[in-house]
Amino acid sequence: MTTAAPPQPLTVQGLTKSFDAKTVLNGVDLVVEPGTVLGLLGANGSGKTTLLKCVLGLLRPTDGSALVMGDNAWDLSAHTKASLGYVPQEVSSYPWMRVRQAIDYTAAFYPSWNHGLVADLCERWRLPLEERTGVLSVGQLQSLGIVLALGHEPSLLILDEPVASLDPLARRAFLRTLLDILESEDRTVIFSTHITSDLERVASQVAILREGQITYHGGLDQLKDQVKRLRITAKAPLPPAFAVPGALRTRIDGATATAAVSAFDPAVVDNLRHTWDVDVDVTDLNLEEIFVELHGG
Amino acid sequence: MSHPPEIFDIRPSAGPPIYRQLIDQARALIAGGRLKPGDYLPGVRRVAKYADVNPMTVSKAYAQLESDGVVERVPGQGMQVCAPRTTGSLAQRRAQFRAAAQPAFHHAHQLGLSPDDIRRVLDDLLKEYQP
């Protein structure tokens, strides 16, 4: 017996979005498999929010397509909408509503609202249920937004900078919850961030958005295995002709040089040792360092 | 015996990928005798919870250790440390050691050590080494 494959959570092809003369997304291609935790990494203004809004059907693409669970993002079916969860960058709520009322109000839209999960999250994040949402701190408002997005247990959860306004403790609490909900089933999570240390804990995949295009998409582990820094030490000053094959950039300073490579190959290192009679140290880079190297240092 | 997740020291923001930190640390703990043959690695979920990392990453490390023959999956029990064993022909094992030792020789050359100096260091190392 064969079972139908679950629909692809996200298939983006040639997605372009311009605002008047300004092109923000310039041919984005991105396919996300079920059960993936994808960290969307990009500098400020790289188009992360625009991409997520196109995927959610909140913005209409200028060109190209975005399919969410097989549905055109601009024309989502009620069923697909019910399996989507979204936390915007800035959570807004009716300021006169109490937290409890805001939750009940949202719950009323969904036939399958998990009241137990929501009560649990509110307790863990110490959300003041009787407080009016208008007086909540930014962090509390963000937590409320996440609770509201998780209540119907979406199969695709999209978070736009979910932790940017949270303090370190609240961020850690949020990451734990994210890890908790990942354990249960094949849920796909896409979250944009520029906080690389959070991404390193939870993401299985990374997509790097730069100048409106995806410049890397793949496993976080593979990325860390591929991008390395080489420290080269020679006995005499290195000649100007010295170069590391495939380097993003090479900086020579007398008898030492540093180079960052995006596709580490031990054979290249051996070759350097033998060709130039140098000592080569290979350093692992963390995601923040990789991000900086890939953006030209 | 079974070990607590605290035997691992995971740094998500360090350079090496988390799965490789786990593999390297497990191997080092075994080499150093802190994990003995027959011992169990801490469970995947406990490690993930303790370190606040994705459990899939821990599973990936354990699967790699299993396919490398370092641990063995015991159904219902977990990952058990295997007794050390030699695989491959003597020639293959020599080649493996040769590959591991080669960078050290290059380093010695950089330091300006003569072949005799290198031999002396090697002899000392062999005398001191106790598995």
Side-chain angles (χ1 to χ4, degrees), chain A residues 90-152:
Chain A
E90 276 168 34
V91 177
S92 60
S93 176
Y94 296 111
W96 47 267
M97 271 193 184
R98 297 187 192 281
V99 170
R100 186 187 299 284
Q101 291 169 325
I103 291 171
D104 289 344
Y105 176 75
T106 307
F109 286 97
Y110 296 97
S112 64
W113 188 262
N114 188 336
H115 291 276
L117 172 72
V118 168
D120 180 45
L121 291 177
C122 288
E123 200 184 310
R124 238 190 292 180
W125 292 344
R126 299 197 189 87
L127 270 178
L129 294 175
E130 300 308 326
E131 205 72 79
R132 294 194 192 275
T133 62
V135 302
L136 295 182
S137 69
V138 189
Q140 285 175 316
L141 210 51
Q142 192 74 3
S143 302
L144 176 62
I146 295 162
V147 168
L148 296 179
L150 284 176
H152 61 290

Side-chain angles (χ1 to χ4, degrees), chain B residues 91-114:
Chain B
Q92 282 169 332
R93 282 178 280 143
R94 271 193 186 145
Q96 272 180 15
F97 176 64
R98 194 190 158 85
Q102 204 178 19
F105 277 90
H106 194 79
H107 195 66
H109 177 64
Q110 288 284 318
L111 292 169
L113 296 184
S114 70

Side-chain angles (χ1 to χ4, degrees), chain A residues 197 200 224 284-290, chain B residues 9-18 21 25:
Chain A
S197 61
E200 279 168 318
K224 283 191 166 185
D284 293 312
L285 299 177
N286 69 19
L287 190 55
E288 183 172 313
E289 294 166 319
I290 290 172
Chain B
D9 178 22
I10 302 169
R11 306 285 163 113
S13 292
I18 295 169
Q21 293 183 37
Q25 287 178 27

Side-chain angles (χ1 to χ4, degrees), chain A residues 74-241:
Chain A
W74 190 244
D75 191 19
L76 294 175
S77 67
H79 178 260
T80 298
K81 279 181 189 161
S83 48
L84 261 177
Y86 171 51
V87 185
Q89 210 165 356
E90 276 168 34
V91 177
S92 60
S93 176
Y94 296 111
W96 47 267
M97 271 193 184
R98 297 187 192 281
V99 170
R100 186 187 299 284
Q101 291 169 325
I103 291 171
D104 289 344
Y105 176 75
T106 307
F109 286 97
Y110 296 97
S112 64
W113 188 262
N114 188 336
H115 291 276
L117 172 72
V118 168
D120 180 45
L121 291 177
C122 288
E123 200 184 310
R124 238 190 292 180
W125 292 344
R126 299 197 189 87
L127 270 178
L129 294 175
E130 300 308 326
E131 205 72 79
R132 294 194 192 275
T133 62
V135 302
L136 295 182
S137 69
V138 189
Q140 285 175 316
L141 210 51
Q142 192 74 3
S143 302
L144 176 62
I146 295 162
V147 168
L148 296 179
L150 284 176
H152 61 290
E153 299 183 271
S155 63
L156 173 60
L157 180 64
I158 294 181
L159 309 121
D160 192 2
E161 303 271 5
V163 292
S165 50
L166 302 184
D167 66 49
L169 289 176
R171 257 173 48 209
R172 186 56 71 86
F174 165 73
L175 288 181
R176 284 188 185 140
T177 308
L178 201 55
L179 291 170
D180 277 352
I181 62 168
L182 291 177
E183 262 182 19
S184 51
E185 56 214 282
D186 260 358
R187 176 172 287 137
T188 309
V189 179
I190 299 174
F191 72 105
S192 71
T193 188
H194 52 245
I195 302 178
T196 51
S197 61
D198 291 338
L199 209 151
E200 279 168 318
R201 287 182 184 277
V202 294
S204 54
Q205 300 244 315
V206 186
I208 296 178
L209 189 60
R210 187 185 181 191
E211 287 163 12
Q213 290 185 327
I214 301 286
T215 53
Y216 175 86
H217 175 218
L220 172 61
D221 294 335
Q222 283 94 308
L223 182 65
K224 283 191 166 185
D225 280 337
Q226 280 172 18
V227 185
K228 304 275 180 198
R229 186 178 294 146
L230 309 182
R231 288 173 42 82
I232 297 135
T233 319
K235 276 176 285 188
L238 288 158

Side-chain angles (χ1 to χ4, degrees), chain B residues 76-87:
Chain B
Q77 294 288 316
M79 288 295 197
Q80 192 174 37
V81 178
C82 297
R85 60 174 173 200
T86 47
T87 52

Side-chain angles (χ1 to χ4, degrees), chain A residues 223-281:
Chain A
L223 182 65
K224 283 191 166 185
D225 280 337
Q226 280 172 18
V227 185
K228 304 275 180 198
R229 186 178 294 146
L230 309 182
R231 288 173 42 82
I232 297 135
T233 319
K235 276 176 285 188
L238 288 158
F242 178 80
V244 177
L248 294 165
R249 59 195 179 85
T250 308
R251 190 176 291 150
I252 302 175
D253 182 15
T256 62
T258 54
V261 294
S262 59
F264 175 68
D265 180 358
V268 169
V269 173
D270 277 347
N271 214 343
L272 282 175
R273 286 191 176 120
H274 291 125
T275 313
W276 302 91
D277 187 27
V278 291
D279 209 19
V280 183
D281 248 1

